[in-house]
Amino acid sequence: MSDTEGSLTPTPAGVYDAALGGTANTAADRAVVERAKEAMPDVILAAWANRGFLQRAVRRMAHELGIRQFLDLGSGMPTQRNTHEVVAEARPDGRVVYVDVNQAVVARSREILAGASDTTAIQGDIRQPEAILAHEETRRLIDFTQPVGVLAVAVTHFLPDEDDPWGLIAHFMDAVPAGSYLALSAVTSDYQEETWRKTLQQAGPSYDAYPRTRAEVERFFKGLEIQPPYEGADPAVVHIGLWGAEDPEVADDDSSRLAYAALARKR
C-alpha cells in the first residue's frame, strides 16, 4: 500500500491516475472516479484523450520543434507514459521538471523517478509562480535563456476566476524566452453543462473544478502564436481529441468535447 493509500481525501493527481488505470492512487481517488462515471460515462475516455493530447504535444515540441526542456505544471503522477518518457524518445538530452502542489504526490513521484538525473518533481503551487521558477531544482534543469515547453495540461480548471489563472499562465510565459511553447488543456461545460454540474456534485465538496467556455480557454493564449492542431487545419483552440488527430472526423466524439486544448509559440 502506498503512503497515501489510507487517505480519505482524494487529490486531482490521484483521481487522474485512477481514471487512467494507474496504481499511484488511493481508494478515495478511485471512489471519485466511480461516482463521476455515474454522471459522465465518458470520463475515462476523456482522461485518455487528455493524456493523448499531452503526449502528442510533447512529441511535437521535442521531435519537430527542437524543445529539450519542459516545465510541467500541475503534473500529477509521472505514470502512464508521461512527459519524461515521451521526451526521452525524441531527445535523450531532454530535461523535465514536474510540479505539483500536493506533498504526497511529489514524494511518490520522486520514488517513481529515482535515479533519473534529468527529471525531477518539486512541490509548488501554480498560484506562486516565482517560487516555482526560482526553485533550485528548476534552476538546475531549466536554462531560461533557451526555449522551454511549458505544460499546463488539465490544471487551470482547478483554479477559480478570482485566482486569475490567465495572469498566472502569462507570468510563466513571461519568464521563458521567444521560441518557447505553451501546451494547455482545460475542461469545458460548453456542450455538457448539466453533465458537469452532476459530475461535480457526485465527486463531492473536496473536489472542486471550474469548467470554462471556449472563449475563456482562448484567453490563455493571448499574445501567443497558436499552432495548427493537425495537418491542414487552421490555428485554433480545439477539443482535446482533435489535437494531433490523424482522422479529425472520427476523433470528434463526446469524450473529446469535454475539454479544449492548444499548443502556442511565444514570438
Side-chain angles (χ1 to χ4, degrees):
M1 184 171 72
S2 71
D3 291 340
T4 58
E5 182 64 35
S7 173
L8 299 177
T9 304
T11 66
V15 171
Y16 190 37
D17 184 72
L20 294 173
T23 59
N25 55 75
T26 69
D29 298 321
R30 295 188 289 276
V32 168
V33 173
E34 290 305 311
R35 290 197 299 271
K37 284 164 61 177
E38 295 176 13
M40 188 180 290
D42 292 318
V43 68
I44 300 298
L45 291 176
W48 278 107
N50 187 71
R51 178 47 57 92
F53 162 68
L54 169 72
Q55 294 169 347
R56 293 189 294 272
V58 170
R59 186 185 306 115
R60 184 181 296 186
M61 283 187 276
H63 183 71
E64 300 177 23
L65 303 174
I67 303 297
R68 64 185 183 89
Q69 47 185 8
F70 294 82
L71 183 62
D72 194 336
L73 303 169
S75 57
M77 306 288 187
T79 62
Q80 304 302 93
R81 199 165 177 269
N82 212 329
T83 303
H84 69 289
E85 295 173 300
V86 180
V87 171
E89 292 173 359
R91 304 286 308 214
D93 60 342
R95 301 191 294 270
V96 178
V97 175
Y98 288 114
V99 183
D100 200 275
V101 70
N102 188 289
Q103 185 176 9
V105 169
V106 173
R108 176 69 172 125
S109 298
R110 288 174 175 168
E111 291 178 8
I112 296 170
L113 297 169
S117 62
D118 55 0
T119 303
T120 191
I122 66 171
Q123 184 178 9
D125 190 328
I126 193 173
R127 295 169 297 182
Q128 300 173 352
E130 280 304 320
I132 293 171
L133 294 167
H135 194 285
E136 60 181 1
E137 284 292 274
T138 305
R139 290 291 169 175
R140 178 176 71 87
L141 289 178
I142 304 293
D143 177 358
F144 285 94
T145 68
Q146 299 297 317
V148 180
V150 178
L151 309 175
V153 177
V155 61
T156 58
H157 54 248
F158 293 114
L159 301 174
D161 288 1
E162 51 264 36
D163 283 342
D164 187 18
W166 301 278
L168 294 171
I169 294 300
H171 193 122
F172 284 103
M173 295 311 295
D174 286 344
V176 297
S180 295
Y181 286 84
L182 169 66
L184 181 145
S185 69
V187 300
T188 182
S189 57
D190 276 355
Y191 298 96
Q192 301 193 49
E193 184 173 359
E194 181 62 17
T195 299
W196 267 116
R197 186 186 67 79
K198 291 180 179 178
T199 298
L200 293 174
Q201 285 179 340
Q202 291 277 19
S206 63
Y207 196 84
D208 292 327
Y210 305 89
R212 295 194 164 94
T213 65
R214 180 173 187 154
E216 289 173 324
V217 176
E218 289 173 338
R219 283 178 57 192
F220 287 110
F221 301 97
K222 183 179 180 180
L224 304 176
E225 187 179 70
I226 294 178
Q227 304 298 293
Y230 53 87
E231 187 175 354
D234 293 329
V237 171
V238 297
H239 297 132
I240 47 175
L242 286 175
W243 203 95
E246 295 181 2
D247 189 336
E249 186 173 340
V250 172
D252 188 20
D253 60 16
D254 285 345
S255 62
S256 169
R257 296 177 184 180
L258 292 177
Y260 287 118
L263 175 69
R265 182 179 185 271
K266 181 176 179 179
R267 293 175 287 211

